[in-house]
Amino acid sequence: MQRFSISLMGVVLGISLITAAVEQSYAKVADAKVAETNAAITRSERCSDLSRQFDEALETHAAATQVTAAKALQRKGNRFCANKKQAQGIRMLANALKLLGVTPIDPVQ
């Protein structure tokens, strides 16, 4: 009888350890999926978002003193983005927005 209860305790302990390990692995997978969806924006999408933001800002900040320089930076930024140099294009577009007095949108908040 004592052997039976010791064996039963061993089985229960083993099952609880396996259950805890499985739950932990499911939690890690769920966390990884959430992180993946948060960081899913590509540089090309970022270029498009900033260019769109610039177009909208240009309508409301048309009287800014640096409009000509900002438009030149936007053209350069769009050219960089089109030529697979998105990092440089993103910087140019962000600087163009700053010349208009607008804070570039942050993709992950």
Side-chain angles (χ1 to χ4, degrees):
M1 186 66 166
Q2 189 176 11
R3 283 188 185 179
F4 177 73
S5 65
I6 291 174
S7 299
L8 187 59
M9 294 289 265
V11 170
V12 170
L13 179 64
I15 291 174
S16 65
L17 289 174
I18 290 171
T19 305
V22 169
E23 286 178 9
Q24 220 173 22
S25 67
Y26 281 136
K28 286 181 184 176
V29 169
D31 289 343
K33 285 183 180 180
V34 168
E36 183 180 305
T37 56
N38 284 342
I41 188 167
T42 63
R43 286 184 178 174
S44 295
E45 291 169 338
R46 181 85 171 119
C47 282
S48 298
D49 291 345
L50 288 174
S51 186
R52 190 174 314 111
Q53 184 187 7
F54 182 87
D55 291 336
E56 292 168 1
L58 194 58
E59 293 172 8
T60 58
H61 294 81
T65 58
Q66 301 286 328
V67 171
T68 307
K71 284 182 180 179
L73 280 176
Q74 184 204 24
R75 282 191 300 274
K76 273 179 129 175
N78 286 337
R79 205 173 312 123
F80 277 126
C81 288
N83 291 327
K84 306 287 187 214
K85 297 181 180 178
Q86 288 91 356
Q88 291 170 307
I90 290 168
R91 280 194 298 273
M92 291 288 173
L93 290 167
N95 287 334
L97 284 164
K98 289 175 187 174
L99 282 179
L100 292 179
V102 176
T103 304
I105 53 173
D106 189 18
V108 180
Q109 293 181 357

